Amino acid sequence: MLDHLLAYFPPHTHPLSLVSDPDDLLGDERILAVLAERGFRLLAERDPIALRYRLQQCLPLSVQTPVIIVTAEALEALPYDLWQQGYHIILALHEFFPNIAYPALRELSPGQRQRLSAAQKQCGTPRHALAYRDSLDYLLQVVFDFAPSRLRSCADWLAWLERYHACNDPMAQVFLQHLGSQLRHVALLASLPNDEMLRDAAVYHRFVQAEWSKYLEKQVCERTDGAYLSAAMLPFATDAALHDLIPRLVRTGTLTPVALANAATLPTWTRPAVVQHSAERQRQQFAEGVAWLEAQLPLNTAAATPPLRWEQWQLVARRWAQISNWHAAAEHGLDHDQASSYRLLQARLDAHFAHWLHANYSALATRALPIPHHLHHIPGWLAYRCQQQPDQRIALLILDGMALADWLLIREIWQARHPDWHIDDRLVLAQIPSMTAISRQALISGMRPAEFASTLLHNRHEQQHWSNFWQRQGLRPDAIACAHLATQREAAYPEVIHSRRMQALCLVSSVIDAKVHKESQGAVGWQATLGVWLHANDGQHQPIVWLEELIKHLFNLRYTVVITSDHGHVAALGMGLPQEGVLVESRSKRARLYSNPEIVRVVQMQFADTIVWTDDGLLPAQTQVLIPQGRRAFAPGGELVLSHGGITLEELAVPLVTIMCS
């Protein structure tokens, strides 16, 4: 499929191509990356005014830097002057996958279509036209490697769930329903929460962990309260296939080893998932996490074939955030070899992610909703949700500076305190450079930085940006509000949240970012600071409980609460300060902005361990960003800082969280 699609776009041939792509065939990450390598600039604006603006930025058109305009509509719906001068291409999904019902094909994601294409390249296409239900069966088997006849034990089902969730590319609702109906006929799985485990990887992980704990409690008789042990649904005691699966479940993080004082009395096969002490469990989890990440990242970037997709990078980001938290926790000391492997892995991770960003960051910005990939997609994603549920009230809560590692700790606390909260999270990419003025404006406005170039270096127009976006969606001005939350301990909640007319609310909290910029002890110091904020009332700062009560209050007012961050942060070591005076547009410890490329070249000669990020299709054309490589900072030599602005995974992969109260 990749080669077939790319054949429509030979390099240096047509300055302007118009593509009708109702099935988002060009939405695949790898196709977008190859087109970018060939010099194509892709425009996918639904608004004709925005399309004109983007096209104006690409002038003059030439075969050296060709433009592709993509629309889900017929090409005749485009402006006539463009239709007249462009080369016309019409893409149709069923032409790439004959004999499969078109409605079933449309439910596949771009990554799933690539898997289908690869499978058919090896095994061929169906010989006869398949009916809709037969197409669902075929796609479940070929794309998702699922067939009810292969499920001979619970271990087979868990192994399939492992593979499925490891792709981080969930199937559409029609496939979930069809698969669920097939599972109901598999007697040995009838008692399991199959539908819930299919829809949510966290539910699957919690179920396996709970079943493992039940088995251990029964074996070592550690319950002393006399309560009756609930019946186990997974036969760990008798199923040898489950025994063989244990090391894999631990390696992927599905199963967390349990600390037991008398673990020596247990069978040998339990050892990968049982430890003597809690500290030993943390060290084992750390080692397993490092090993898993090393397996995802080849030794050098050139060996990454095929490269990781964004879906896979999200799994990497989550695992890295978790082991980074363990690494920073002073009470769980690591030996010399573990600390060394962490540093080596960190360097490999930084190199691979930077390499991936250069090929894919700009391309992902053109991906169509409803799945957001960049921060500037979030307002459009919220508007799409409101279209699906017109009576929905949206409250976007921006926790300035919250990194993914911070969110993992916050989520753990909130889930324990509020079992009635259903928390669903995904990751999106912050704006490069990941500076507050730029990244948060992109998040609030729903625009690329090039579209707010006049306010690029400050946040004074955020309220207007938010209001403009939602008025374009048809909301009245009095149904829209953007407010900064006070940071005082006993501050009142903004009065605007109580307005009955309110439909699109944005609230910004700067508590985390303020604490980050005061931290001088790096990641270890930050985790201690965050721990105090999460677990203790220090009498000086606004506690996290204040935010929790705000969220509960928003629930009572019938808001859907969405939480995100404008950027993360990273510990970096000072490499010195450039002395360019007023010639720099904006200064940050992890990024500096210039409008003159000559000045950038001069500064880069003094600071060789830097890269220049520019001409990415998102930033204003004249903007040049100088970014330290790896984990260095524009700070006095040797000084340890906690900052943001750069392109590490910690700074750019930020959580996008939806919380609902049951």
Side-chain angles (χ1 to χ4, degrees):
M1 178 180 173
L2 179 63
D3 293 337
H4 191 175
L5 269 172
L6 292 174
Y8 284 95
F9 305 98
H12 312 308
T13 305
H14 305 290
L16 177 63
S17 298
L18 309 180
V19 183
S20 175
D21 185 17
D23 303 309
D24 194 28
L25 286 167
L26 292 184
D28 182 78
E29 181 178 326
R30 289 175 185 165
I31 292 172
L32 292 170
V34 175
L35 289 175
E37 286 178 7
R38 294 183 176 184
F40 286 97
R41 291 166 292 178
L42 193 143
L43 309 183
E45 301 290 348
R46 297 181 180 179
D47 185 287
I49 297 176
L51 176 61
R52 289 285 188 187
Y53 176 79
R54 294 287 315 284
L55 186 60
Q56 188 70 26
Q57 292 180 307
C58 297
L59 297 178
L61 300 178
S62 71
V63 294
Q64 283 72 38
T65 56
V67 170
I68 301 172
I69 294 178
V70 183
T71 176
E73 309 298 329
L75 295 181
E76 289 79 4
L78 291 171
Y80 179 75
D81 61 317
L82 298 181
W83 180 88
Q84 191 176 40
Q85 64 179 302
Y87 175 69
H88 295 186
I89 300 171
I90 299 175
L91 301 178
L93 183 60
H94 61 274
E95 293 181 2
F96 290 85
F97 302 108
N99 292 333
I100 304 174
Y102 177 65
L105 283 172
R106 289 208 66 179
E107 299 295 337
L108 295 175
S109 72
Q112 291 160 7
R113 293 171 187 171
Q114 288 296 340
R115 298 210 297 272
L116 174 60
S117 177
Q120 290 192 343
K121 194 172 183 179
Q122 289 187 342
C123 306
T125 60
R127 296 181 180 179
H128 309 288
L130 300 177
Y132 179 68
R133 290 184 63 84
D134 293 333
S135 294
L136 293 179
D137 289 334
Y138 173 80
L139 294 173
L140 281 175
Q141 181 170 344
V142 173
V143 177
F144 301 101
D145 193 29
F146 176 84
S149 59
R150 298 177 188 169
L151 300 179
R152 302 182 183 88
S153 68
C154 289
D156 292 335
W157 176 228
L158 293 191
W160 184 87
L161 284 169
E162 279 291 304
R163 295 193 300 272
Y164 171 67
H165 287 304
C167 292
N168 197 33
D169 189 7
M171 61 179 69
Q173 183 67 23
V174 293
F175 290 110
L176 290 172
Q177 291 175 345
H178 192 65
L179 191 154
S181 66
Q182 294 182 343
L183 287 174
R184 284 188 276 277
H185 298 290
V186 182
L188 63 92
L189 304 178
S191 63
L192 306 185
N194 298 314
D195 290 345
E196 293 83 355
M197 290 194 294
L198 271 170
R199 286 179 170 81
D200 192 338
V203 172
Y204 161 63
H205 294 161
R206 288 196 296 269
F207 173 76
V208 175
Q209 190 71 46
E211 289 297 299
W212 181 239
S213 297
K214 287 180 188 177
Y215 165 76
L216 294 177
E217 288 174 343
K218 186 174 181 180
Q219 292 299 307
V220 301
C221 301
E222 287 199 341
R223 294 180 67 94
T224 59
D225 58 4
Y228 179 76
L229 279 172
S230 58
M233 288 183 274
L234 293 179
F236 281 111
T238 58
D239 191 341
L242 277 177
H243 302 170
D244 295 338
L245 192 59
I246 291 291
R248 180 177 167 189
L249 296 175
V250 174
R251 174 62 57 86
T252 60
T254 296
L255 195 58
T256 299
V258 175
L260 294 174
N262 51 352
T265 62
L266 294 171
T268 304
W269 61 265
T270 65
R271 290 179 183 172
V274 178
V275 293
Q276 294 280 348
H277 309 288
S278 297
E280 181 186 351
R281 175 178 61 193
Q282 294 286 359
R283 286 191 292 270
Q284 181 174 340
Q285 285 182 282
F286 179 87
E288 295 286 1
V290 168
W292 184 86
L293 285 166
E294 288 176 338
Q296 314 306 309
L297 304 172
L299 291 175
N300 59 77
T301 55
T305 52
L308 296 181
R309 302 174 66 92
W310 171 234
E311 291 83 4
Q312 296 164 300
W313 272 113
Q314 292 181 63
L315 296 175
V316 168
R318 291 178 186 277
R319 203 69 183 273
W320 176 248
Q322 185 63 76
I323 68 170
S324 295
N325 280 338
W326 292 332
H327 181 265
E331 64 271 26
H332 303 302
L334 305 175
D335 59 36
H336 178 270
D337 290 341
Q338 287 180 315
S340 177
S341 66
Y342 178 84
R343 289 192 296 271
L344 291 173
L345 176 60
Q346 185 182 76
R348 282 173 58 186
L349 184 69
D350 290 345
H352 277 283
F353 188 59
H355 182 77
W356 177 85
L357 283 173
H358 281 286
N360 296 278
Y361 177 81
S362 300
L364 278 177
T366 66
R367 285 287 298 271
L369 293 169
I371 300 174
H373 295 84
H374 283 241
L375 280 181
H376 74 264
H377 291 158
I378 290 178
W381 174 69
L382 294 175
Y384 175 83
R385 293 183 58 163
C386 290
Q387 291 171 6
Q388 305 303 305
Q389 300 178 356
D391 60 341
Q392 187 174 202
R393 307 177 80 192
I394 291 290
L396 177 64
L397 176 57
I398 300 173
L399 302 184
D400 184 5
M402 179 182 67
L404 175 58
D406 305 336
W407 165 245
L408 294 184
L409 297 175
I410 294 170
R411 175 172 178 154
E412 183 179 353
I413 295 294
W414 283 358
Q415 284 186 321
R417 291 178 183 169
H418 308 285
D420 58 332
W421 287 9
H422 176 73
I423 301 175
D424 175 64
D425 62 19
R426 64 181 75 198
L427 302 183
V428 293
L429 288 163
Q431 177 61 48
I432 297 175
S434 51
M435 302 164 66
T436 299
I438 299 175
S439 202
R440 199 167 73 208
Q441 274 195 92
L443 163 59
I444 288 176
S445 68
M447 298 189 295
R448 300 171 178 86
E451 297 171 85
F452 54 81
S454 62
T455 66
L456 188 70
L457 304 181
H458 62 79
N459 293 98
R460 293 192 293 272
H461 290 272
E462 288 178 341
Q463 294 183 18
Q464 190 61 52
H465 284 323
W466 180 256
S467 181
N468 288 345
F469 174 85
W470 286 101
Q471 287 188 59
R472 290 196 297 270
Q473 309 306 312
L475 294 190
R476 292 165 50 92
D478 59 359
I480 309 162
C482 180
H484 284 250
L485 298 173
T487 59
Q488 295 85 359
R489 285 184 46 79
E490 305 300 332
Y493 299 137
E495 195 61 36
V496 69
I497 71 177
H498 298 99
S499 170
R500 294 184 178 181
R501 296 186 179 91
M502 191 57 54
Q503 290 180 264
L505 176 66
C506 178
L507 302 172
V508 181
S509 170
S510 60
V511 171
I512 292 178
D513 194 61
K515 290 178 177 291
V516 164
H517 286 291
K518 291 179 181 178
E519 184 56 57
S520 61
Q521 300 301 313
V524 174
W526 168 245
Q527 186 161 100
T529 298
L530 186 64
V532 170
W533 187 60
L534 291 174
H535 297 282
N537 186 347
D538 63 8
Q540 297 180 8
H541 303 101
Q542 186 182 87
I544 192 174
V545 175
W546 191 92
L547 286 176
E548 293 175 51
E549 293 299 323
L550 171 62
I551 293 170
K552 290 162 64 176
H553 194 50
L554 290 170
F555 287 152
N556 292 335
L557 295 171
R558 305 184 68 81
Y559 284 96
T560 295
V561 178
V562 175
I563 299 175
T564 192
S565 171
D566 48 0
H567 55 75
H569 51 78
V570 70
L573 196 64
M575 58 188 293
L577 285 165
Q579 302 297 321
E580 70 283 75
V582 297
L583 298 176
V584 62
E585 300 288 329
S586 180
R587 297 176 178 87
S588 164
K589 293 179 180 178
R590 290 280 295 155
R592 295 171 87 86
L593 269 63
Y594 303 84
S595 58
N596 187 327
E598 294 299 325
I599 300 300
V600 176
R601 280 194 283 271
V602 171
V603 177
Q604 194 174 28
M605 289 177 63
Q606 303 170 8
F607 294 87
D609 293 335
T610 56
I611 63 168
V612 177
W613 186 279
T614 187
D615 195 25
D616 63 358
L618 284 81
L619 291 169
Q622 73 278 10
T623 300
Q624 310 265 321
V625 188
L626 191 66
I627 301 174
Q629 291 183 342
R631 289 153 195 263
R632 307 298 298 276
F634 295 122
E639 180 180 313
L640 185 62
V641 301
L642 206 64
S643 191
H644 56 90
I647 59 171
T648 63
L649 197 55
E650 289 95 324
E651 292 164 290
L652 290 185
V654 297
L656 175 58
V657 184
T658 303
I659 304 181
M660 292 180 288
C661 187
S662 58

